[in-house]
Amino acid sequence: MANKWDERKKAQEDEYFVKKERELLAKLKAKEEAETKESLQKTCHMRCPKCGEPLKARSFQKIEIDQCTGCNGIWLDAGELEAVAGKDESSWLGKFWQKNG
Ligand SMILES: [Zn+2]
């Protein structure tokens, strides 16, 4: 009888700690995410017009471009498309630019 009660109590305690641990993990995760977002915002000057996530500067063929951290969309500033297209005239982008430019 006493054993059964102890077992039940133990199970309840375990459940309590598992729940507490989960809450703690969720809090840590939220904190981490907030910090990541904050640090991204500090380095970013722009947000994606499509999904609102911050853009992160990265280099593509030695040209600095902005890539969305949410949808991975790439945004080019004025002159950057020409710079990218001009690098390789045989690329689809180069062809596109020559055809439309
Ligand atoms: Zn986006």
Side-chain angles (χ1 to χ4, degrees), residues 1-3 9 13 17 21 26 30-32 37 39 45 54 56 61 63 67-68 73 75-76 87 90 94-95 101:
M1 200 60 175
N3 277 344
K9 208 177 156 217
E13 270 173 13
F17 284 118
E21 207 173 274
K31 199 178 165 231
E32 218 168 78
K37 264 196 179 160
S39 69
H45 48 284
K56 199 181 176 199
Q61 293 183 1
I63 298 154
Q67 184 165 33
C68 175
W75 304 96
L76 297 162
K87 288 262 174 192
S90 63
K95 280 180 192 150

Side-chain angles (χ1 to χ4, degrees), residues 5-42:
W5 171 248
D6 280 349
E7 266 170 38
R8 219 174 126 187
K9 208 177 156 217
K10 179 86 175 52
Q12 277 176 343
E13 270 173 13
D14 283 350
E15 206 177 302
Y16 174 80
F17 284 118
V18 166
K19 211 180 148 202
K20 276 278 161 200
E21 207 173 274
R22 262 191 215 142
E23 277 170 17
L24 196 71
L25 277 174
K27 262 186 204 167
L28 276 174
K29 210 176 164 227
K31 199 178 165 231
E32 218 168 78
E33 272 170 15
E35 275 170 5
T36 307
K37 264 196 179 160
E38 208 179 293
S39 69
L40 276 173
Q41 276 166 0
K42 270 180 200 159

Side-chain angles (χ1 to χ4, degrees), residues 48-53 55 68-73 75:
C48 177
K50 199 172 149 192
C51 68
E53 289 298 311
L55 300 182
C68 175
T69 55
C71 68
N72 289 324
W75 304 96

Side-chain angles (χ1 to χ4, degrees), residues 53-101:
E53 289 298 311
L55 300 182
K56 199 181 176 199
R58 54 168 286 193
S59 62
F60 172 73
Q61 293 183 1
K62 289 181 184 166
I63 298 154
E64 200 167 276
I65 55 168
D66 297 306
Q67 184 165 33
C68 175
T69 55
C71 68
N72 289 324
I74 288 170
W75 304 96
L76 297 162
D77 290 336
E80 283 177 348
L81 180 62
E82 290 95 324
V84 175
K87 288 262 174 192
D88 185 5
E89 281 177 14
S90 63
S91 73
W92 71 266
L93 196 57
K95 280 180 192 150
F96 172 86
W97 194 248
Q98 282 176 341
K99 221 167 125 186
N100 292 278

